[in-house]
Amino acid sequence: MSAATTRSRTPDRLCAEAVDLARAAAEEVAAPGVVGEYEGLVSEGDRVVTHFFACREAGYRGWRWAVTVARASRAKIVTIDEAVLLPGPDAVLAPEWVPWSERLRPGDMGPGDLLPTDAEDLRLEPGFSGEEEPPPNSAVSQDMAELVEAEDAEVTEGTPAHLAVAPTRGSIAAVAEELGMRRARVLSRYGLHSAADRWEEAFGAKTPMAQAAPASCVSCGFLTPIGGSLGQAFGVCANEFSPADGHVVSLAYGCGGHSEAAVMPKPPQPAPPVIDETRVDPFPLRPSPDSGSVPVTEDESSAELGHS
């Protein structure tokens, strides 16, 4: 180890003793009361030392005020190089920056927001082939360019997204419009699988609602079929009382609102009252003499005295 390396690792005595000078410099650049206790020093080189002070600023836990001091060779006056706020080993740092396209989550878009789609998005693929290089037998190919004026056709330049609303006659976009294929890009196989995985996770057979359902959606009258290849495994729920109303559900999904799960019984009707109008039941206005528990007495004297 050379002598220069040894000297650079040993803090300069005058620079190491300039703690008050370093604190004053930190308090000058910081807000009042945010420079905390002294946390040590480190040698940056020959006659260069950095002093550290704790930061009491809210939101900067673990940060330190770093003040670097130095002195010239054979000089006895220590000067300030710089004073900055640096993160310490246990500092709370902001998370690493992530592009907006990776931070976007379902439900983040609002009215007026625009979400650009990457040209190389794996979820999409061309809706029809030949938009850049038409096939040889096409009316817009190079071989047929001489017949453009005779056929009243024009060679289309650019993708269909840059064309006018009404494509030029004879272009690939015009043929696609006529065949109902105006979309420049459609879902790729990867896009179809991604959508199916999301729908299956939200309203699939493994959800708690489907596990407790009396039957699956494939036999429910509220299921509205959808077209395309996804229609073989999914549909749209049209039951307003179902938790999946208006959502794409798996045919294996189910809930308690199944149309055939239970038929509501009719409320019981009370029997009509029976009235016999041909018989009269007499009701005496006064009780009969022998209806009580005490027998009738013939002796008037005993009748006057009564009974106990």
Side-chain angles (χ1 to χ4, degrees), residues 109-135:
M109 290 189 61
D113 295 340
L114 296 179
L115 177 61
T117 305
D118 190 2
E120 304 296 334
D121 197 327
L122 297 178
R123 300 172 300 172
L124 299 172
E125 62 183 9
F128 47 86
S129 61
E131 59 176 312
E132 299 296 340
E133 297 181 2

Side-chain angles (χ1 to χ4, degrees), residues 18-91:
V19 177
D20 295 337
L21 178 65
R23 177 179 291 275
E27 292 177 349
E28 182 179 355
V29 299
V34 299
V35 179
E37 60 277 4
Y38 183 67
E39 293 188 351
L41 58 87
V42 62
S43 177
E44 304 288 355
D46 292 341
R47 298 177 297 279
V48 180
V49 173
T50 299
H51 297 273
F52 295 102
F53 302 91
C55 179
R56 297 177 180 175
E57 185 78 20
Y60 285 86
R61 180 175 61 85
W63 289 62
R64 302 181 299 180
W65 288 101
V67 181
T68 302
V69 297
R71 70 178 181 89
S73 177
R74 297 182 182 179
K76 296 183 178 181
I77 300 176
V78 179
T79 57
I80 302 295
D81 281 359
E82 61 179 356
V84 294
L85 182 63
L86 298 177
D90 298 329

Side-chain angles (χ1 to χ4, degrees), residues 13-295:
R13 182 180 62 84
L14 295 179
C15 292
E17 294 175 354
V19 177
D20 295 337
L21 178 65
R23 177 179 291 275
E27 292 177 349
E28 182 179 355
V29 299
V34 299
V35 179
E37 60 277 4
Y38 183 67
E39 293 188 351
L41 58 87
V42 62
S43 177
E44 304 288 355
D46 292 341
R47 298 177 297 279
V48 180
V49 173
T50 299
H51 297 273
F52 295 102
F53 302 91
C55 179
R56 297 177 180 175
E57 185 78 20
Y60 285 86
R61 180 175 61 85
W63 289 62
R64 302 181 299 180
W65 288 101
V67 181
T68 302
V69 297
R71 70 178 181 89
S73 177
R74 297 182 182 179
K76 296 183 178 181
I77 300 176
V78 179
T79 57
I80 302 295
D81 281 359
E82 61 179 356
V84 294
L85 182 63
L86 298 177
D90 298 329
V92 178
L93 303 178
E96 185 179 356
W97 183 82
V98 180
W100 68 268
S101 58
E102 299 180 13
R103 298 196 307 266
L104 193 65
R105 292 295 179 267
D108 289 348
M109 290 189 61
D113 295 340
L114 296 179
L115 177 61
T117 305
D118 190 2
E120 304 296 334
D121 197 327
L122 297 178
R123 300 172 300 172
L124 299 172
E125 62 183 9
F128 47 86
S129 61
E131 59 176 312
E132 299 296 340
E133 297 181 2
N137 58 347
S138 173
V140 294
S141 62
Q142 288 294 115
D143 297 339
M144 303 295 292
E146 298 178 359
L147 301 178
V148 169
E149 296 181 358
E151 297 293 336
D152 191 22
E154 295 182 2
V155 177
T156 302
E157 297 181 357
T159 60
H162 296 83
L163 298 179
V165 176
T168 307
R169 179 185 175 188
S171 64
I172 293 179
V175 178
E177 176 73 17
E178 183 177 356
L179 298 178
M181 302 170 58
R182 188 65 178 91
R183 293 183 299 168
R185 291 189 292 177
V186 296
L187 275 177
S188 62
R189 183 174 296 274
Y190 172 78
L192 290 173
H193 283 292
S194 299
D197 292 340
R198 292 195 310 270
W199 299 342
E200 184 70 27
E201 182 178 358
F203 299 99
K206 296 182 180 180
T207 58
M209 181 66 71
Q211 294 291 332
S216 58
C217 292
V218 68
S219 59
C220 182
F222 295 107
L223 181 73
T224 303
I226 61 176
S229 58
L230 292 177
Q232 303 176 6
F234 297 94
V236 178
C237 178
N239 186 355
E240 60 177 329
F241 300 107
S242 172
D245 179 37
H247 294 276
V248 179
V249 297
S250 171
L251 298 183
Y253 181 74
C255 67
H258 195 280
S259 61
E260 311 302 327
V263 179
M264 184 175 295
K266 295 182 179 181
Q269 298 293 335
V274 178
I275 301 176
D276 188 1
E277 298 179 351
T278 61
R279 178 181 176 184
V280 178
D281 297 330
F283 292 93
L285 298 179
R286 297 178 180 178
S288 60
D290 57 350
S291 62
S293 60
V294 179

